Amino acid sequence: FVATVDRIDFSNETTSAPGNNLTQARESLAAVSNSSYGYFGGGDNAPGFAGGVTTVDRIDFSNETFSAPGNNLPQARTGLAAVSSSSYGYFGGGNAPPNVDTVDRLDFSNETLLLPGNNLPAGKSNSAAVSTSSYGYFGGGSPNTVIVNRLDFSNETFSAPGKNLSQARSNLAATESNSYGYFAGGNYAIATVDRLDFSNETTSAPGSTMPYSSYGGGIAAFSSNSYGYFGGGTNGPNYTSRIRRLDFS
């Protein structure tokens, strides 16, 4: 387990270490952000999975320093997924163990965490999530599923929009443009990319799959205005440092 933080410069796509790392080494955590801070929550820090941690680390984008905002997840778990609205971050699902349906809400205004009262329809871990200004979408997960669950930010209720992933998988990653969400990779050695059209909530295959499909699971993703980036990953004992770039245009 490592606490490493790598920074990619969107202007020239170089990677570097900003010099400050997570306060606690761990894997299978999730992250949300607003314009000022990023928050990394949960994860696993013990061999063989001993139940996960509740830790929330905050990165200040203005100076790239990490600190503990003082409030952690109410429940220790690993393999959770997360989305952000303009006001809140939502950490959903995970393995406690067993798999849980828990959703924790982080209030960006005061950095408190609480249970908004509505959870995922079923417990699952190692899913991936994308969001628009109105909805968050949690797709896939373990036990291997194609289901996409939609979180309505206006009333914090969950529903199934009716369109699911083309292939059941967990340990996938997801990123979004203004128009689409992309769910990519997954266990085991899966190269599939599913595109979710935010305008009508239909899913389709954009025609391009992940290269290096032997490294299908455990990847992470983020995006700029023009590109989505999928970094790292594992398949069995093999790990990779590769970054794959998806051109939204």
Side-chain angles (χ1 to χ4, degrees):
F1 302 99
V2 298
T4 306
V5 174
D6 293 315
R7 180 184 65 193
I8 184 167
D9 188 326
F10 289 140
S11 67
N12 56 19
E13 294 184 329
T14 58
T15 55
S16 60
N20 298 298
N21 294 323
L22 297 174
T23 62
Q24 183 182 35
R26 58 199 198 271
E27 67 173 7
S28 298
L29 61 167
V32 296
S33 65
N34 61 17
S35 59
S36 300
Y37 301 102
Y39 301 86
F40 296 82
D44 183 16
N45 71 340
F49 179 56
V53 299
T54 63
T55 306
V56 174
D57 290 322
R58 182 185 66 194
I59 182 170
D60 187 326
F61 292 140
S62 68
N63 57 17
E64 297 181 329
T65 58
F66 274 91
S67 60
N71 297 298
N72 292 324
L73 299 176
Q75 180 185 34
R77 59 196 199 272
T78 184
L80 59 170
V83 293
S84 307
S85 70
S86 57
S87 301
Y88 303 103
Y90 298 87
F91 295 89
N95 194 318
N99 289 340
V100 298
D101 59 3
T102 307
V103 174
D104 296 315
R105 184 183 69 193
L106 170 66
D107 189 326
F108 291 139
S109 67
N110 57 16
E111 296 182 331
T112 57
L113 280 146
L114 54 78
L115 299 172
N118 296 300
N119 293 324
L120 291 167
K124 65 178 179 178
S125 61
N126 298 308
S127 60
V130 295
S131 63
T132 66
S133 59
S134 300
Y135 301 103
Y137 300 87
F138 294 79
S142 178
N144 279 2
T145 179
V146 298
I147 293 174
V148 175
N149 299 123
R150 183 184 67 192
L151 170 64
D152 188 327
F153 292 143
S154 66
N155 58 16
E156 296 181 332
T157 58
F158 275 93
S159 61
K163 304 298 181 180
N164 294 321
L165 302 180
S166 64
Q167 186 177 19
R169 58 200 196 271
S170 62
N171 284 301
L172 64 166
T175 190
E176 72 266 349
S177 68
N178 290 329
S179 301
Y180 302 103
Y182 299 87
F183 294 86
N187 283 346
Y188 292 92
I190 291 174
T192 304
V193 176
D194 290 317
R195 184 182 66 193
L196 172 65
D197 188 326
F198 292 140
S199 67
N200 57 16
E201 294 183 330
T202 58
T203 54
S204 61
S208 299
T209 57
M210 290 276 285
Y212 312 116
S213 61
S214 60
Y215 300 96
I219 51 181
F222 53 90
S223 62
S224 67
N225 292 329
S226 301
Y227 301 103
Y229 298 88
F230 295 85
T234 179
N235 181 37
N238 301 312
Y239 295 85
T240 180
S241 61
R242 292 187 181 102
I243 294 177
R244 306 84 157 173
R245 184 183 69 189
L246 171 64
D247 188 327
F248 291 143
S249 67

